């Protein structure tokens, strides 16, 4: 892990209810901002090294944001995913980010879409990499591993706190074996994810993120699963900002047809198929994803119109 450079800046931001959310920044602070939402599980450093290099090279500011219950973010269960966007708005204000683009990997996808629904004046575009689809409401789709969480939803709701404590303790026990443990996980994955996880830079990034994010707590993933089994608090039709979706056609975690389903229901969305790739395929094309998103906008927002009229 010695070759994984620390973020340019890390810290926490005060949000509602005397809570805090932790973040990590890459690239120059004056650059156009992208908020990167990690997968489930994951934390704020789950950002490919090639994306960090692009940030430095092209002057893009990438902000990795922990969800409640990982890193230094206060443990908390939102009533729904949309409610998280109110905390995001406070983070953007504190970090002096006026407008932003969002990227969400897997379980981070619903959060990126929530930002687009709740903050259309600030979000210029959303990128989703193999994002989780709704399990409730008019946008719901069946199938996939997420259905296990749906079936276990009552148990998850009552056991998430003790389970989170147990998970944290388990990770602490295996910290010295993090590298071999990741190799063992990779060995049973489909070819796409296996190849990605065999690349030294990706392996180093994942281990650094896992060990750094889980030093204090690991309940965020369990909170995610609970929220994925609820209505998100918004519908696909509410996301008026442009969405660009990338999905591996061999995804074994979130079925490809889930991504197709959500894209069809979004007002302004396109699907890019990652041929032959499985669940983590979007991480392997991070530079293309960022380049595509940076071409979205800046859009003229109500905020900009107000400032112009003054």
């Amino acid at each position: 892990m010695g070759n994984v450079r620390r973020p340019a800046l890390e810290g926490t931001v005060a949000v509602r209810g005397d809570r805090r959310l932790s973040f990590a920044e890459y690239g120059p602070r004056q650059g156009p901002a992208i908020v990167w939402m990690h997968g489930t599980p994951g934390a704020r450093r789950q950002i490919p090294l090639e994306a960090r290099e692009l940030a430095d090279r092209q002057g893009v500011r990438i902000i990795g944001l922990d969800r409640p219950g990982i890193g230094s973010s206060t443990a908390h269960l939102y009533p729904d995913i949309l409610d998280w966007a109110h905390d995001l708005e406070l983070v953007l204000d504190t970090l002096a980010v006026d407008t932003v683009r969002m990227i969400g990997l897997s379980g981070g996808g619903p959060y990126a879409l929530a930002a687009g629904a709740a903050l259309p004046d600030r979000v210029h575009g959303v990128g989703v990499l193999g994002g989780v689809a709704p399990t409730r409401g008019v946008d719901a789709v069946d199938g996939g591993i997420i259905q296990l969480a749906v079936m276990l939803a009552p148990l998850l709701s009552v056991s998430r706190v003790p389970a989170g404590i147990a998970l944290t303790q388990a990770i602490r026990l295996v910290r010295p074996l993090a590298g071999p443990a990741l190799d063992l996980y990779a060995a049973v994955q489909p070819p796409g994810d296996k190849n990605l996880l065999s690349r030294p830079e990706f392996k180093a990034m994942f281990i650094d993120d896992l060990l750094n994010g889980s030093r204090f707590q690991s309940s965020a993933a369990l909170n995610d699963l609970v929220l994925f089994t609820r209505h998100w608090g918004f519908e696909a039709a509410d996301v008026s900002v442009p969405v660009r979706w990338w999905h591996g056609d061999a995804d074994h975690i979130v079925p490809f047809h889930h991504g197709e389903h959500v894209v069809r229901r979004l007002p302004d969305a396109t699907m890019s198929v990652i041929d032959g790739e499985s669940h983590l395929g979007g991480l392997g094309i991070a530079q293309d994803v960022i380049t595509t998103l940076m071409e979205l906008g800046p859009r003229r927002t109500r905020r900009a119109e107000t400032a112009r009229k003054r």
Side-chain angles (χ1 to χ4, degrees):
M1 290 189 300
N3 61 339
V4 179
R5 192 176 68 182
R6 290 174 61 90
L9 176 67
E10 283 188 291
T12 63
V13 173
V15 293
R16 299 167 298 161
D18 294 325
R19 294 180 293 107
R20 304 191 74 84
L21 292 181
S22 45
F23 70 93
E25 283 197 15
Y26 302 90
R29 300 207 72 196
Q30 68 272 19
I34 292 175
V35 168
W36 190 295
M37 298 305 299
H38 58 78
T40 304
R44 63 185 180 270
R45 294 186 183 181
Q46 195 186 70
I47 300 172
L49 301 191
E50 65 175 23
R52 306 179 193 186
E53 293 167 359
L54 182 145
D56 289 332
R57 188 169 65 251
Q58 296 191 8
V60 177
R61 181 184 184 187
I62 300 179
I63 303 168
L65 190 60
D66 283 339
R67 294 196 279 280
I70 196 72
S72 301
S73 291
T74 310
H76 176 70
L77 179 64
Y78 295 109
D80 53 45
I81 292 174
L82 185 66
D83 189 63
W84 165 84
H86 299 300
D87 282 349
L88 173 65
E89 191 166 23
L90 293 173
V91 172
L92 296 179
D93 289 344
T94 302
L95 298 182
V97 175
D98 185 27
T99 58
V100 68
R101 294 162 179 85
M102 303 291 302
I103 294 177
L105 167 69
S106 184
Y111 292 89
L113 291 172
L119 307 173
D121 282 355
R122 302 186 77 162
V123 176
H124 285 325
V126 174
V128 178
L129 312 178
V132 171
T135 63
R136 294 284 186 267
V138 298
D139 301 314
V141 59
D142 292 330
I145 293 176
I146 191 63
Q147 291 303 313
L148 292 175
V150 174
M151 291 186 290
L152 297 174
L155 179 61
L156 284 171
S157 295
V158 299
S159 65
R160 62 181 182 83
V161 174
I165 294 172
L167 180 60
T168 302
Q169 294 300 325
I171 292 175
R172 287 174 180 170
L173 288 175
V174 302
R175 284 178 70 92
L177 302 174
L182 186 60
D183 290 338
L184 182 62
Y185 172 80
V188 297
Q189 298 308 299
D193 283 5
K194 182 182 297 184
N195 292 337
L196 190 70
L197 292 171
S198 70
R199 291 167 54 179
E201 72 275 18
F202 276 96
K203 181 178 178 181
M205 180 271 289
F206 275 113
I207 293 175
D208 175 63
D209 179 64
L210 172 66
L211 298 186
N212 178 72
S214 62
R215 283 184 301 168
F216 307 116
Q217 54 184 338
S218 301
S219 63
L222 297 169
N223 292 340
D224 277 353
L225 292 178
V226 171
L227 291 178
F228 296 159
T229 67
R230 297 177 178 176
H231 190 278
W232 290 359
F234 67 98
E235 297 174 353
D238 300 323
V239 186
S240 60
V241 304
V243 177
R244 300 296 177 261
W245 194 296
W246 289 262
H247 214 118
D249 58 5
D251 195 323
H252 61 303
I253 303 294
V254 180
F256 179 73
H257 76 270
H258 281 205
E260 288 183 308
H261 171 81
V262 180
V263 167
R264 284 195 300 266
R265 302 188 65 84
L266 290 163
D268 180 1
T270 61
M271 166 69 81
S272 295
V273 182
I274 315 175
D275 292 329
E277 291 293 339
S278 35
H279 190 56
L280 300 177
L283 294 179
I285 57 168
Q287 291 196 3
D288 291 339
V289 170
I290 292 173
T291 299
T292 298
L293 285 185
M294 296 312 298
E295 293 172 353
L296 298 178
R299 299 181 303 115
R300 177 166 290 180
T301 65
R302 289 194 295 270
R303 178 179 300 193
E305 285 289 332
T306 300
R308 185 177 65 85
K309 292 177 181 177
R310 289 177 181 172

